Amino acid sequence: MKVEDAICAFCGCLCDDIVVEVTDNQIVSVDNACSLGSARFLEDQENRLKGPIRQEGGEWRDISYDEAIDATVSLLLEADRPLLFGWSSSATETQAAGAHLAELIGAVIDSTTTVCHGPSILAIQEVGHPGCTLGQVKNRAETIIYWGCNPIDAHPRHMSRYSTYPDGFFIKNAFRDRQVIVIDIRKTESSDIADIFVQIEPGGDYAVLSALRMIVLGKGSLVPETVFGVAKEQLLHIANLCKKTRFGALFFGLGITMSRGKHKNVRNAIELIDELNRHTKWTITPMRGHGNVYGSNEAFTWISGYPYAIDYSRGIAFYNPGETSAVDILRRKECDLCLIVGSDPGAHLPHICSSYLAQIPTIVIDPYPNATTHLATIQIPCAINGIDAAGTTYRMDGVPIKTRKVITTRYQCDRDIIHTLYERVKAVKGHE
Amino acid sequence: MNFLFNSGRTVNQGSYIDKKNSRQYQDETSCCRMNPIDAFRLGIQKENRISLENEHGSVVCTVCEDKNLPEGQIFLPLGPYANQLIPGTTQSTGMPDFKSVNVVVTLTTEPVAEVGDLMKACGGVKYEG
Amino acid sequence: MNEILLKNACVIDPINGVCGELIDLCMKDGWITDSVSEKALILDAQGYLTLPGGIDSHSHVCGTKVNFGRYMSPNDMRAGREVSRGIMHPISGYSVPTTYANSYRYSAMGYTTILEGAMAPLEARHTHEEFMATPLQDMMANTLFDGNWNIMEAVHNKDLKRAAAIVGWTLSAVKGFGIKLTNPGGTEAWGWGNDIQSIHEEVPDFGVTPAEIITTMIQANEMLNLPHSVHLHCNNLGMPGNYATTLETMDLAPDLNEKRQTLYLTHVQFHSYGGSTWGDMDSRTEEISKKLAACPHIAIDMGQVLFGRTTTMTADGPMEWRLYTLHHNKWSNHDVELETGSGIIPVYYNRKNLVNSIMWAIGLELALLARDPWKIMLTTDNPNGAPFVRYPEIIALLMSQKYRDAVSHTIHPRTEHRVPLFALDRELDFYEIAIMTRAAQAKALGILDQGKGHLGFDARADVAVYPIHIDSIDPARNYTEIEEAFKKTLFTIKGGTLVTRDGEVIVEEKNRTFWVDPQISEEYDMTIDQQFRTQFDHYYSVRMNNYPVSENYIPRGVCIKTKTPL
């Protein structure tokens, strides 16, 4: 059976043209997906955790779902300062359930945004976000800039679906009518296919952005001969291209959010785009990593008012990244329980955080054994968004798409698991 | 030798992301990219391993040459190996200093740890299931 | 069996011509009825003013740009935060509250139905997710068509039936309620960073004018028999001299519908400016009101501005950009492919600023100059003019010249030279206020048939009891008490359930979503139309099969099927 227009929820591209061939409830082939998506669909079943597992006294054993839920409920009730982390692979229905659970138990809830595009959000909160949906780029953009990101590796179909390669309503021949500029501290596969590659010395993004802004503002005479390894001639050339193009789209990634300056780098980029909008049309879009990390920002926001790092311990929604963000809470050893949904902090957070996770009750809701499994107390496998569960997922540009379920398994959707935990905890708290 | 250390996504690291305990994931995320000239200066042969160390931690990696990397810079894909070298401070932004951290690189005969053993060293209990 | 007996209600029900009668209202299973059993919950309205539940015919509360406004404004979130109480969730937000905050605060004010001002079809799913989290009001969505490529193509080809078929398909697919046009043609021009200056200026690349888009959409709307009329945010919003555009636009509208207006102009305050620059700008409400009186087939809402801080957000991308160049505040923009645009920027309306003072006066003038209260509805284009929680202030201002005079001393001293407000001594009464805040909306939106907006038999049991004894208060003098009374009901009943008591929400409710499903034959069905499918495939960035919103997003949808000649 062919499932057409299936959605791959691996990365922020959220490609929705995947064709999945299913025979006897097994995925046998996948078309249109990149290697990341193909691996996600094809290698799924062999990697799943068969059932819940629990670690006690240095030993792992298989347990029942009932025992896993019972134990998790007890731990949640006992915790004084729980942290609910992850969420970026779950559908918004699950993320919303997580936010309500956090309200109920006065937890801190945070998603992987915190170590990815959190700084982008901080910048947006300072200066706003002049953006658009990806179809605007496809149909109109003559100039594409990829800054501090390597789409060929991290978002493999981005260029072919949305930016560099596809023809659009106003771009009849993308190959001829579009130019791609890659700006990075190192050469990558993406820079190899660019029309122009600008190599910046590490830590130089802020200064280069400032230099471009100066030139666009007509104050180019103030720019020195080189800025962090970039020649002034090249900066003048780029700025001129940007002012003359009919429509430009800037995409940026962790190269800017993670390096020195962090959200100030992003702010500078946004302000450059604001300035360019006085001359022509430009938009800026963060290359969101996980398939539904933007969904976590959306759901957390309409419920709490804030996109991530929300602390409910005071009975209000309280937001202060740096204080209420997962890495800082774990580093300060402040939480006494961590519930992790669809994410792998053991692999992706600094090891001081991993070490602390090993010391506190850590419950993981994730279909696969991963790095965090070795740090966990309990792991409960669940269904996967876009494979054996369907749900609302937000693409990197904010467009919401509903994934399709292509196979049926006995795994529960993580939304149902969170609901069960919520109802069980509420029942106990109601009697207090 | 001192290096500026950078980490980021690679397509291979991403394709094994749901198999973090696999050999392929380990190989990809523990393979340190280095400019051939720097490798030559360190006296690295093909099967050698290196130890990366700074005030936040240390980790043993394999080496692969990448002429696209400037001299003085090394790169590890995002993952548990890279994170041994990253501090938990965030400058009040929530975001750790993943990029542009300094490390000292030396040759070593230590083996590359499995992901489970890295986590065990953090205080976890390795799951073999 | 859910029954309520609301005793001693001093009912004003303009749809049924009831004005201040003391009635015992019976409600059963969500509807007004003539009797209830002894099991009914008995509530004592204490002779207080009792109105049908409030209806907001234009408010930005749910969807992509609203949520953008929230997460880019943590300062606004902090300003409006409240701790969780009882069954209420903790809430945040002052001018862009979270969904629960919106719902609780509207409910405290007696509102039970809201029309979301703008929903881009491509992002409808998001709007519906937020509708589900606004549980105390029945919701419906104005669906944006102003920059729609397929529509503009049909307009260019003078193919009215195709235009109607596209609208019909889209509304059914995304579970929308009505046709919304925001700066028609302008939002497409904004895709290139430009705007449209006149309703007769051609949209680049599409060869149609705003006038053509508007007139075709009006015809299409009536052809589809939609409950509401075309809902239009005119071109040139906020520009000095734009009253001319508004008058020209009004001239475009034919009279095609007996039951309600054929054209609904929204937040007309922003479209009533004379002069040619900020320096000589003045109020042209007299011209607008005169035209409105001569056009029984047009209805408007105020879009009142109140002094203080708020956030502007609209599909009118180029207008928000202009505000950015004026205020240099944090600015967001979100253009939606093939469909529309949007922009967001916080603003501060300053009573020391002449332009802002004129804007404040204009909204009030529109209401006071209107001969027919059924055609001028109370809104602030929430949150653009002011947060909706300030509606009571507007009510009090409209009911009291003394209040208006008191405020006039605090605003820019030259305002009186630019506006006729201070020569207007009209004071609206409770009956007129009731019309402007619910009865007129029910009629204009075409939801009388759903039982909304009145308290006669077969009405929905949506009831708001305001702590005022209308016979023992003089609104002209006691405007402060009027303002206080409209802020918080004694009881808000929605769908026959007591949801709010003294401003506190007491039940977890589940709302309904109204949507339309025009019945269209295969010949005009876009699902199988080759040209439509091919265009979709080439130019959208999502697949056509993934575009429609499934019915699980509207678990309690009220589907209004309409007959069409298609």
Side-chain angles (χ1 to χ4, degrees), chain A residues 273-290:
Chain A
I273 298 302
D274 288 347
E275 235 4 89
L276 285 169
N277 269 298
R278 291 179 188 272
H279 300 272
T280 179
K281 180 79 178 187
W282 272 85
T283 65
I284 181 167
T285 308
M287 298 285 273
R288 305 306 300 267
H290 281 73

Side-chain angles (χ1 to χ4, degrees), chain C residues 386-402:
Chain C
F388 67 85
V389 291
R390 298 182 70 182
Y391 287 174
E393 192 178 327
I394 304 169
I395 292 174
L397 284 163
L398 292 174
M399 295 184 91
S400 166
Q401 190 188 19
K402 190 156 170 242

Side-chain angles (χ1 to χ4, degrees), chain C residues 29 48 71 85 91 108 167 194 197 227 234 338 352 436 460 472 506 511:
Chain C
D29 294 332
Y48 284 150
Y71 75 69
R85 307 189 289 279
I91 54 182
V167 170
N194 299 316
Q197 253 77 55
C234 291
L338 283 84
K352 297 303 175 201
M436 288 172 61
R460 194 74 185 148
S472 50
I506 57 175
N511 62 1

Side-chain angles (χ1 to χ4, degrees), chain B residues 60-81:
Chain B
V60 174
C61 297
T62 56
V63 185
C64 50
E65 295 184 359
D66 182 352
K67 60 176 167 25
N68 285 330
L69 264 181
E71 292 175 51
Q73 284 186 38
I74 54 174
F75 175 92
L76 259 183
L78 228 46
Y81 298 90

Side-chain angles (χ1 to χ4, degrees), chain A residues 10 35-36 39 43 47 49 53 55 58 60 114-116 119 153 185-187 199 202 254-255 258 262-263 289 321-322 325 327-328 331 344 346-352 355 358 368-371 374-375, chain B residues 4 6 9-11 13-15 17-21 25 56-57 68-70 73 75 79-80 83-84 86-100 115-116 119 122-127:
Chain A
F10 184 99
S35 55
L36 302 176
E43 294 164 23
N47 292 313
L49 195 60
I53 53 175
Q55 184 269 111
W60 280 101
T114 209
V115 293
C116 194
D153 265 27
I185 61 167
R186 62 190 177 107
K187 279 207 180 129
Q199 188 158 8
L254 275 35
M258 285 183 175
K262 298 181 189 166
H263 59 296
S325 34
V327 171
D328 299 281
R331 184 196 74 247
D344 194 359
H348 293 140
L349 260 47
H351 74 106
I352 189 172
S355 303
Y368 307 119
N370 56 24
H374 310 289
L375 307 166
Chain B
L4 194 60
N6 191 9
R9 293 194 179 107
T10 68
V11 72
Q13 164 252 331
S15 63
I17 210 153
D18 294 328
K19 295 180 297 197
K20 297 252 184 36
N21 298 307
Y25 180 78
H56 311 297
N68 285 330
L69 264 181
Q73 284 186 38
F75 175 92
N83 283 323
Q84 300 301 310
I86 307 293
T89 49
T90 71
Q91 329 292 332
S92 297
T93 63
M95 165 68 87
D97 295 306
F98 281 116
K99 296 195 192 277
S100 306
V115 169
M119 296 298 111
C122 285
V125 174
K126 191 170 170 182
Y127 175 70

Side-chain angles (χ1 to χ4, degrees), chain B residues 96-126:
Chain B
D97 295 306
F98 281 116
K99 296 195 192 277
S100 306
V101 167
N102 288 311
V103 298
V104 171
V105 176
T106 50
L107 280 177
T108 184
T109 52
E110 295 290 318
V112 173
E114 283 181 11
V115 169
D117 291 315
L118 273 183
M119 296 298 111
K120 191 168 158 195
C122 285
V125 174
K126 191 170 170 182

Side-chain angles (χ1 to χ4, degrees), chain A residues 19-344:
Chain A
V19 181
V20 183
E21 180 89 45
V22 177
T23 307
D24 293 331
N25 207 32
Q26 304 260 40
I27 297 173
V28 297
S29 76
V30 173
D31 268 329
N32 294 336
C34 68
S35 55
L36 302 176
S38 296
R40 178 181 172 85
F41 281 104
L42 289 169
E43 294 164 23
D44 162 52
Q45 286 298 298
E46 66 205 49
N47 292 313
R48 299 255 196 149
L49 195 60
K50 299 282 179 288
I53 53 175
R54 184 175 188 169
Q55 184 269 111
E56 267 177 314
E59 297 286 322
W60 280 101
R61 58 187 180 90
D62 295 328
I63 58 172
S64 66
Y65 277 94
D66 283 342
E67 186 185 335
I69 299 287
D70 286 345
T72 305
V73 170
S74 299
L75 289 167
L76 286 171
L77 285 165
E78 272 165 34
D80 286 327
R81 187 147 177 72
L83 168 66
L84 312 181
F85 180 73
W87 307 104
S88 301
S89 303
S90 307
T92 46
E93 290 83 357
T94 308
Q95 295 160 341
H100 292 308
L101 177 62
E103 284 175 357
L104 182 65
I105 61 177
V108 174
I109 184 161
D110 197 6
S111 76
T112 64
T113 304
T114 209
V115 293
C116 194
H117 275 281
S120 308
I121 293 184
L122 294 178
I124 289 169
Q125 291 174 337
E126 290 186 11
V127 291
H129 177 184
C132 62
T133 64
L134 290 169
Q136 290 284 11
V137 176
K138 168 170 122 163
N139 285 310
R140 302 186 202 254
E142 292 178 350
T143 304
I144 313 265
I145 297 182
Y146 283 108
W147 196 312
C149 57
N150 181 9
I152 291 190
D153 265 27
H155 296 88
R157 293 183 79 214
H158 194 267
M159 289 179 156
S160 52
R161 287 201 94 212
Y162 306 124
S163 65
T164 313
Y165 299 116
D167 295 336
F169 186 79
F170 296 104
I171 306 277
K172 302 294 181 202
N173 184 334
F175 184 72
R176 189 188 59 210
D177 299 334
R178 261 192 189 119
Q179 57 188 347
V180 177
I181 303 171
V182 169
I183 304 179
D184 208 333
I185 61 167
R186 62 190 177 107
K187 279 207 180 129
T188 61
E189 275 100 335
S190 303
S191 64
D192 285 341
I193 60 103
D195 296 295
I196 301 175
F197 171 52
V198 179
Q199 188 158 8
I200 304 184
E201 285 163 13
D205 298 283
Y206 190 88
V208 173
L209 284 162
S210 294
L212 287 171
R213 284 178 68 190
M214 298 312 291
I215 299 168
V216 171
L217 276 163
K219 299 193 162 62
S221 56
L222 296 169
V223 175
E225 286 311 304
T226 58
V227 181
F228 274 83
V230 186
K232 185 171 177 175
E233 289 83 62
Q234 195 174 32
L235 292 171
L236 289 167
H237 180 58
I238 303 278
N240 200 42
L241 277 174
C242 289
K243 280 168 76 172
K244 295 256 174 344
T245 193
R246 199 176 176 206
F247 186 118
L250 175 72
F251 294 98
F252 70 96
L254 275 35
I256 301 190
T257 66
M258 285 183 175
S259 48
R260 191 184 66 166
K262 298 181 189 166
H263 59 296
K264 295 299 184 184
N265 297 333
V266 181
R267 174 178 171 149
N268 217 357
I270 293 171
E271 291 183 296
L272 171 63
I273 298 302
D274 288 347
E275 235 4 89
L276 285 169
N277 269 298
R278 291 179 188 272
H279 300 272
T280 179
K281 180 79 178 187
W282 272 85
T283 65
I284 181 167
T285 308
M287 298 285 273
R288 305 306 300 267
H290 281 73
N292 202 24
V293 62
Y294 200 172
S296 74
N297 305 135
E298 300 277 20
F300 292 169
T301 297
W302 75 62
I303 292 173
S304 75
Y306 307 103
Y308 70 110
I310 305 133
D311 184 348
Y312 278 109
S313 63
R314 301 164 179 74
I316 50 164
F318 181 81
Y319 168 76
N320 195 14
E323 178 194 335
T324 57
S325 34
V327 171
D328 299 281
I329 289 187
L330 287 166
R331 184 196 74 247
R332 291 196 307 266
K333 303 191 179 175
E334 197 175 287
C335 54
D336 58 353
L337 174 140
C338 192
L339 173 70
I340 296 159
V341 180
S343 149
D344 194 359

